[in-house]
Amino acid sequence: MAVSSCAAAARAFPSFECRSDADFFAGGVPRHNDVPKNSSGVRFSGKANSLNHGSSIHGGMSSLILRFPPNFVRQLSVKARRNCSNIGVAQVVAASWSNNLGSPDFTPAATKAVDASAAAAAAVAPVDEEVTVMVENENPACDDRNVQIEEVTRGKYSSFLSSDGSIAIHAGERLGRGIVTDAITTPVVNTSAYFFKKTSELIDFKEKRHASFEYGRYGNPTTVVAEEKISALEGAESTLLMASGMCASTVMLLALVPAGGHIVTTTDCYRKTRIFIETILPKMGITATVIDPADIGALESVLKQKKVTLFFTESPTNPFLRCVDIELVSKLCHENGALVCIDGTFATPLNQKALALGADLVVHSATKYIGGHNDVLAGCISGPEKLVSVIRNLHHILGGAINPNAAYLIIRGMKTLHLRVQQQNSTAQRIAEILEAHPKVRCVYYPGLPSHPEHQLAKKQMTGFGGVVSFEVDGDLLTTAKFIDALKIPYIAPSFGGCESIVDQPAIMSYWDLSQSDRAKYGILDNLVRFSFGVEDFEDLKADILQALDTI
């Protein structure tokens, strides 16, 4: 079908509005390395490829994605039902250029005939559904626009967003997502599999000419939006979202450390991580050296003595909030061929940028601050695509996929991430100072206090010190339990980072199966308290803690 002139198309469809702004283009393909490029390096939209899979991609041609508004598709569908043969889909495509004719740098290009399958798809499009069509053209001026939209780093938002708070709200959504909708919120795509229109399209997918997730374990459009938000905040090329934080940590270790490999980790860490490193990895011939978070000399020594594959630690750590010099550790490890992965759950992507400090990967339990509402389990890994893809391949085999409904909760939670973290940072800092001065508190662990062993380091590599404060009350196990039971606001529960304050006694909550002496080996004393501050009013929390201390 020949393409008519833009003027003729404009007369035929006077109500058609060309949407050439960046946020109207499609994005969010499953993985950028799986999507074919044209000779100009422009990545193709998965939606566009699904409509144009039969077309050849010619060298020197760029590809534009044209999205038709719902009211137009309604008109098109009505006419299609009356007489499909009268629908000039090529005229519609040409009409998309009509609003650009006045632009001084616009040059009408000779366009190709539209693929018959695209015409059929447009003709039978359901009411209120936007149709995406790929059109080949020879106008190089259009290339930059596509390149801009397909970027994954936070840089694509820098032209109009200057803060992490705004990026957490709009990244992955404002400039287009892989779900065709004009809804402000991202829809939940509940599907376990993705279909192919023809066998030829399946073959195109297998040979990397067509984009699809294929199966629910390999990806989901809703999940991609959450991943792109986290990537934008971390400044990462790629993010992989999984079913839990432990899933993210264990799959990362299994994927990156070979049999017989050696890792370095730190004394203070989440107990389940320690159990995995001490009991599961040795079965695969993987050994570990455990060092103090601040002991750079010990790190240098093990790097010289052993062939270290990976340095993996939390920063700040759990529960004593020790901090690792990420920049220095990364430099030393890279000089000796080792990777660095930082678990930044306590810090959040707002308080600390581990990748910018030199780390290769950053892991989060998104259950905590990123989700932020104590209502979802999730974990994520961010870093360069080269490394994340290795982890992703194993993840696809092991199957710890996040449910799209959970991914939606992560997206929703991130909209208020900056507000919550600001409040939690402030409350934790002020309460920590009050606790440190209280006669019934022996010791306070919080990076924002000058008394903390890594306070100066935390000031250098963090912009906020987080919402968790650990401290030891003046008493034994039962006295500490009495203090916790006297609190009225926080819940006695595991986890942290949500809107509701949470308190726990690690000796009972996480280490009760160990003897008192064995707990002490990890620094877990009977009087240790870990308090995660929510977003309740500071004065209410202060009054509650003070009255509880008065009971002991």
Side-chain angles (χ1 to χ4, degrees), residues 119-411:
V124 298
V127 175
D128 293 334
E129 178 182 351
E130 293 180 358
V131 180
T132 304
V133 177
M134 178 168 285
V135 185
E136 296 175 344
N137 75 91
E138 298 175 338
N139 186 1
C142 300
D143 292 351
D144 291 340
R145 181 166 48 194
N146 279 354
V147 171
Q148 177 190 3
I149 297 314
E150 294 298 331
E151 290 174 0
V152 248
T153 60
R154 57 184 285 137
K156 84 182 201 179
Y157 302 98
S158 61
S159 63
F160 65 102
L161 299 178
S162 60
S163 72
D164 281 344
S166 298
I167 288 171
I169 294 171
H170 293 295
E173 298 176 285
R174 190 66 180 87
L175 295 188
R177 52 197 157 197
I179 306 173
V180 180
T181 177
D182 56 0
I184 292 176
T185 56
T186 294
V188 179
V189 180
N190 280 312
T191 186
S192 58
Y194 303 84
F195 73 91
F196 299 89
K197 297 179 181 69
K198 296 179 181 178
T199 301
S200 60
E201 187 174 86
L202 172 58
I203 294 173
D204 283 343
F205 165 71
K206 293 297 183 180
E207 296 183 355
K208 311 298 184 184
R209 294 188 298 273
H210 172 73
S212 174
F213 294 108
E214 182 185 14
Y215 187 55
R217 194 170 75 244
Y218 306 145
N220 179 279
T222 307
T223 302
V224 166
V225 171
E227 290 173 339
E228 290 187 352
K229 278 189 182 296
I230 297 168
S231 288
L233 284 180
E234 290 288 6
E237 285 184 354
S238 183
T239 291
L240 175 60
L241 198 60
M242 299 189 194
S244 71
M246 274 305 298
C247 182
S249 296
T250 55
V251 174
M252 182 275 300
L253 289 167
L254 292 174
L256 297 182
V257 185
H262 191 83
I263 67 174
V264 179
T265 188
T266 54
T267 51
D268 190 32
C269 69
Y270 177 52
R271 190 182 177 202
K272 290 299 189 292
T273 304
R274 179 186 291 114
I275 290 172
F276 182 78
I277 291 173
E278 292 179 346
T279 65
I280 305 300
L281 291 183
K283 296 178 181 179
M284 304 171 190
I286 298 172
T287 55
T289 297
V290 182
I291 65 173
D292 184 272
D295 195 345
I296 297 299
L299 175 61
E300 291 177 317
S301 177
V302 70
L303 286 171
K304 291 178 181 178
Q305 294 174 13
K306 299 181 180 291
K307 185 173 177 57
V308 177
T309 305
L310 177 72
F311 177 84
F312 177 50
T313 185
E314 301 158 8
S315 187
T317 60
N318 182 16
F320 295 108
L321 301 151
R322 300 290 303 278
C323 297
V324 174
D325 190 332
I326 300 173
E327 187 173 11
L328 179 56
V329 163
S330 298
K331 179 177 180 295
L332 293 173
C333 288
H334 293 162
E335 288 174 351
N336 290 273
L339 297 171
V340 174
C341 179
I342 299 296
D343 184 330
T345 302
F346 273 83
T348 80
L350 301 187
N351 286 333
Q352 180 176 275
K353 306 290 187 185
L355 299 180
L357 290 168
D360 299 288
L361 295 165
V362 59
V363 169
H364 290 279
S365 172
T367 305
K368 312 303 192 291
Y369 290 102
I370 291 177
H373 289 77
N374 290 320
D375 60 1
V376 63
L377 291 176
C380 61
I381 302 173
S382 301
E385 176 62 29
K386 182 178 180 180
L387 287 177
V388 175
S389 63
V390 174
I391 303 168
R392 184 184 289 113
N393 289 339
L394 180 60
H395 165 63
H396 288 170
I397 295 171
L398 297 179
I402 187 172
N403 185 282
N405 294 278
Y408 172 81
L409 291 176
I410 295 296
I411 295 169

